[in-house]
Amino acid sequence: EAGVAQSPRYKIIEKRQSVAFWCNPISGHATLYWYQQILGQGPKLLIQFQNNGVVDDSQLPKDRFSAERLKGVDSTLKIQPAKLEDSAVYLCASSPLGSSGANVLTFGAGSRLTVL
Amino acid sequence: SQQGEEDPQALSIQEGENATMNCSYKTSINNLQWYRQNSGRGLVHLILIRSNEREKHSGRLRVTLDTSKKSSSLLITASRAADTASYFCAKTSGSARQLTFGSGTQLTVLP
């Protein structure tokens, strides 16, 4: 089966500019996640969608980050305006998790953001 | 916030040796998973152990879980250079089954 697709793979912007990342999960996967991974650290959950509803966005900096999942499939993550500390890899993952069962995630390759 | 930490932060061994990584966590879990991340890549799922299990095997991988100590370990036997990567434990908890990652162990296997 096709994996989780993410684009762009790399993006360099200046601070205060905006950027958007796109994710296409595995077909049929109900749950979609965006993680932020700063160099040398583990991934930190930004937002979790169940179909097209938000399950958890407690760690999303809502003053500058936004995310949506259109029709319960593709998702976009936007940062506006970007800060230097937003430099990280943004990982999208999906899982077939429904109301029960183990949530084994399949990750995309990530989008590496550098803010100058 | 990241729940729990991996230990050690970095590990360097010779090919053929065994590698052991540990993971601790703070609150109750539904299950615990281990993922591998090669440099510049996304994470790949390795193995899952449920809270009512104590040990699980998959090929050269052996995972143990001690819920009384809130800790888990990942053993890679007969390591290969291709095992060089970062290894993360991830805890599932909460009604929404959020997956929270630790800080990772960087494993280097020298040929």
Side-chain angles (χ1 to χ4, degrees):
Chain A
E1 62 181 1
V4 176
Q6 288 189 248
S7 68
R9 285 280 284 127
Y10 303 94
K11 188 73 177 180
I12 300 174
I13 62 173
E14 294 189 349
K15 60 183 179 184
R16 291 188 289 275
Q17 287 186 325
S18 64
V19 62
F21 302 111
W22 172 83
C23 173
N24 179 238
I26 290 176
S27 177
H29 277 194
T31 308
L32 185 146
Y33 311 77
W34 283 101
Y35 283 85
Q36 179 193 56
Q37 186 176 26
I38 293 172
L39 185 65
Q41 299 182 16
K44 182 183 86 170
L45 179 66
L46 293 176
I47 189 166
Q48 177 179 343
F49 292 95
Q50 179 82 19
N51 296 309
N52 61 351
V54 175
V55 173
D56 182 3
D57 63 357
S58 57
Q59 297 192 85
L60 186 74
K62 300 180 185 61
D63 57 334
R64 298 183 301 105
F65 286 64
S66 65
E68 61 179 1
R69 188 177 184 194
L70 303 173
K71 299 181 181 178
V73 182
D74 291 7
S75 177
T76 56
L77 175 70
K78 297 179 181 178
I79 308 174
Q80 182 179 15
K83 293 185 175 181
L84 296 177
E85 58 261 36
D86 298 332
S87 293
V89 176
Y90 291 86
L91 295 163
C92 180
S94 68
S95 78
L97 176 67
S99 58
S100 62
N103 56 335
V104 174
L105 272 59
T106 301
F107 281 83
S111 295
R112 181 179 298 275
L113 173 66
T114 301
V115 182
L116 302 176
Chain B
S1 62
Q2 293 182 313
Q3 186 187 157
E5 299 295 329
E6 274 93 323
D7 170 57
Q9 289 189 329
L11 179 62
S12 184
I13 60 174
Q14 294 292 134
E15 208 164 24
E17 293 181 338
N18 296 342
T20 300
M21 288 159 269
N22 303 296
C23 168
S24 63
Y25 56 93
K26 299 176 182 176
T27 61
S28 63
I29 60 173
N30 302 114
N31 61 62
L32 187 142
Q33 305 176 43
W34 287 88
Y35 287 77
R36 183 188 72 226
Q37 184 176 38
N38 290 88
S39 181
R41 302 283 191 89
L43 286 79
V44 174
H45 177 259
L46 295 175
I47 194 166
L48 177 150
I49 187 165
R50 300 183 188 278
S51 58
N52 60 354
E53 297 176 311
R54 292 298 168 257
E55 189 170 310
K56 202 106 177 255
H57 295 255
S58 176
R60 295 184 295 112
L61 304 180
R62 172 179 169 248
V63 170
T64 60
L65 179 64
D66 187 333
T67 53
S68 65
K69 295 181 179 179
K70 292 186 169 57
S71 66
S72 174
S73 66
L74 171 68
L75 169 67
I76 304 174
T77 59
S79 62
R80 306 166 182 168
D83 295 328
T84 294
S86 292
Y87 292 81
F88 296 91
C89 68
K91 285 75 69 176
T92 303
S93 60
S95 58
R97 299 174 183 264
Q98 293 92 338
L99 197 61
T100 305
F101 287 83
S103 54
T105 293
Q106 172 61 51
L107 172 66
T108 302
V109 181
L110 303 169

